[in-house]
């Protein structure tokens, strides 16, 4: 019987290529917690993109992929300054704090009586020469939107004449994703996930050349690696012992041994 059926021939009508016998499947759940959070994130990203499109075109191109970009107009220190770590850290903290990128956060701290009003007055938004529609404030607005979207902060400045510092700090997880994760953890009665940060630093000094550092900080645990010109590798490796001691005692961080290698050619 099988071989008799196999010998029979029949024709099968093929469906036209432009039609499909399957209807699109509609989502059955549109109000789950995940979809609500996803819609909020998508809406926030849409708002950010909408604001960016409203910015002047030259500003958009200069701010693209830059995050919060801080670039002072003058060197931070005179050429004769004897620089130490605490002085440099304090000065960098000041220019970030007074850059205007965190204006809303400062307002919230002032409202909670944690900082004096004079600190708010020093922000670019409140200086007499800046109006709400001035190019400077528009630039800061664009940087704030990029910072909200990417979480990236860039500092590009001269420490003193001929000493150039470039510093990038960014979170391991996008801020919008991290906010959603933290919200889900709070709903489950858990603590927010501790943030982790990655940082890259390039310092160019006269008579020394270029020094680069890559760092990652997570829950007070710091990993770091350094690169410099080959003649400096030995001396910089020796100095890492003092650096690790100061970080452990002064900043209270756990730190692994710091490898030092020569810069790629």
């Amino acid at each position: 019987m099988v071989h008799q059926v196999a010998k029979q021939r029949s024709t099968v009508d093929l469906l036209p290529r432009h039609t499909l016998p399957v209807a699109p499947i509609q989502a059955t759940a549109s109000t789950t917690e995940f979809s609500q959070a996803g819609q909020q994130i998508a809406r926030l990203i849409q708002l950010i993109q909408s604001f960016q499109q409203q910015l002047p075109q030259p500003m958009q191109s200069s701010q693209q992929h830059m995050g919060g970009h801080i670039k002072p107009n003058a060197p931070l220190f005179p050429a004769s300054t004897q620089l130490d770590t605490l002085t440099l850290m304090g000065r960098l903290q000041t220019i970030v704090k007074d850059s205007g990128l965190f204006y809303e956060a400062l307002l919230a701290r002032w409202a909670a009586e944690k900082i004096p009003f004079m600190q708010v007055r020093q922000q670019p938004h409140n200086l007499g020469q800046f109006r709400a529609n001035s190019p400077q404030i528009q630039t800061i607005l664009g940087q704030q939107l990029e910072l909200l979207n990417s979480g990236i902060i860039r500092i590009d400045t001269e420490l003193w004449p001929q000493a150039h510092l470039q510093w990038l700090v960014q979170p391991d997880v996008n801020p919008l994703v991290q906010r959603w994760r933290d919200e889900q953890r709070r709903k489950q009665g858990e603590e927010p996930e501790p943030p982790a940060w990655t940082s890259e630093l390039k310092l160019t000094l006269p008579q020394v050349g270029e020094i680069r550092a890559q760092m990652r900080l997570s829950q007070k645990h710091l990993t770091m690696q350094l690169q410099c010109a080959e003649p400096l590798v030995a001396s910089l490796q020796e100095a890492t012992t003092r650096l690790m001691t100061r970080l452990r005692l002064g900043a209270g961080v756990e730190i692994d041994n710091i490898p030092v290698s020569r810069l790629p050619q």
Side-chain angles (χ1 to χ4, degrees), residues 199-202 211-215 224-227:
S199 180
E200 297 182 18
L201 182 148
K202 184 172 80 170
I211 299 175
R212 296 184 185 180
Q214 293 85 36
M215 297 163 280
M224 179 187 301
Q225 55 183 354
L226 301 174
Q227 292 179 307

Side-chain angles (χ1 to χ4, degrees), residues 123-134 136-137 140:
Q123 295 295 297
H125 306 67
N126 298 320
L127 297 180
Q129 66 267 34
F130 293 152
R131 295 193 304 270
N133 60 348
S134 68
Q136 294 90 341
I137 296 301
I140 293 175

Side-chain angles (χ1 to χ4, degrees), residues 218-264:
S218 176
Q219 289 186 291
K220 291 193 173 182
H221 184 267
L222 178 67
T223 56
M224 179 187 301
Q225 55 183 354
L226 301 174
Q227 292 179 307
C228 61
E230 189 169 7
L232 295 174
V233 170
S235 59
L236 192 58
Q237 180 67 72
E238 182 180 352
T240 59
T241 304
R242 298 192 300 272
L243 175 60
M244 288 188 294
T245 301
R246 295 182 67 174
L247 288 172
R248 287 168 180 159
L249 297 179
V253 299
E254 301 176 6
I255 183 169
D256 302 328
N257 289 332
I258 303 174
V260 181
S261 60
R262 67 179 180 85
L263 286 166

Side-chain angles (χ1 to χ4, degrees), residues 27 37 41 45 58 66 74 76 94 101 105 116 124 132-133 162-163 165 169 175 187-188 196 225 252 263:
I41 291 176
I45 293 176
M66 298 181 70
L76 301 185
T94 298
L101 292 176
N133 60 348
Q162 299 183 339
L165 172 68
V169 181
K187 290 179 180 179
Q188 297 174 7
Q225 55 183 354
L263 286 166

Side-chain angles (χ1 to χ4, degrees), residues 183-202:
E183 182 63 26
Q184 301 309 303
R185 293 174 68 94
R186 275 192 289 267
K187 290 179 180 179
Q188 297 174 7
E190 301 176 1
E191 293 293 326
E193 182 180 357
W197 301 85
T198 300
S199 180
E200 297 182 18
L201 182 148
K202 184 172 80 170

Side-chain angles (χ1 to χ4, degrees), residues 9-181:
R9 296 183 179 181
S10 62
T11 59
V12 178
D13 294 332
L14 298 178
L15 291 171
R17 291 187 178 183
H18 63 276
T19 61
L20 291 175
V22 180
I25 299 176
Q26 300 297 330
T28 58
S30 60
T31 58
T32 62
E33 292 182 358
F34 179 81
S35 66
Q36 288 178 354
Q39 291 169 12
Q40 292 174 3
I41 291 176
R43 177 58 177 162
L44 182 57
I45 293 176
Q46 190 178 45
L47 287 173
I48 290 174
Q49 293 173 344
S50 175
F51 281 129
Q52 289 172 332
Q53 292 173 359
Q54 296 175 23
L55 296 174
Q57 188 62 35
M59 187 190 309
Q60 287 190 42
S61 60
S62 65
Q63 295 304 320
Q64 189 174 13
H65 305 303
M66 298 181 70
H69 192 194
I70 301 172
K71 188 173 182 179
N73 297 324
L76 301 185
F77 304 99
S80 59
T81 301
Q82 292 292 325
L83 192 63
D84 62 86
T85 306
L86 292 178
T87 303
L88 175 58
M89 181 178 67
R91 189 69 183 94
L92 291 174
Q93 184 179 20
T94 298
I95 65 171
V96 171
K97 182 177 61 179
D98 295 341
S99 65
L101 292 176
F102 303 97
Y103 181 65
E104 290 76 11
L106 282 176
L107 284 178
R109 295 187 64 194
W110 168 71
E113 300 183 352
K114 294 182 178 180
I115 60 172
F117 183 68
M118 184 57 65
Q119 192 167 326
V120 178
R121 286 285 303 272
Q122 293 173 349
Q123 295 295 297
H125 306 67
N126 298 320
L127 297 180
Q129 66 267 34
F130 293 152
R131 295 193 304 270
N133 60 348
S134 68
Q136 294 90 341
I137 296 301
Q138 293 295 317
T139 298
I140 293 175
L141 174 61
Q143 291 175 346
Q144 285 181 310
L145 293 172
E146 286 290 341
L147 181 59
L148 178 64
N149 190 26
S150 67
I152 297 175
I153 300 176
R154 299 176 186 269
I155 299 177
D156 188 352
T157 184
E158 278 190 306
L159 299 180
W160 58 86
Q162 299 183 339
H164 191 204
L165 172 68
Q166 293 176 293
W167 191 2
L168 178 146
V169 181
Q170 61 183 347
D172 282 7
V173 181
N174 182 278
L176 301 179
V177 176
Q178 186 69 58
R179 181 176 297 180
W180 179 82
R181 287 183 181 179

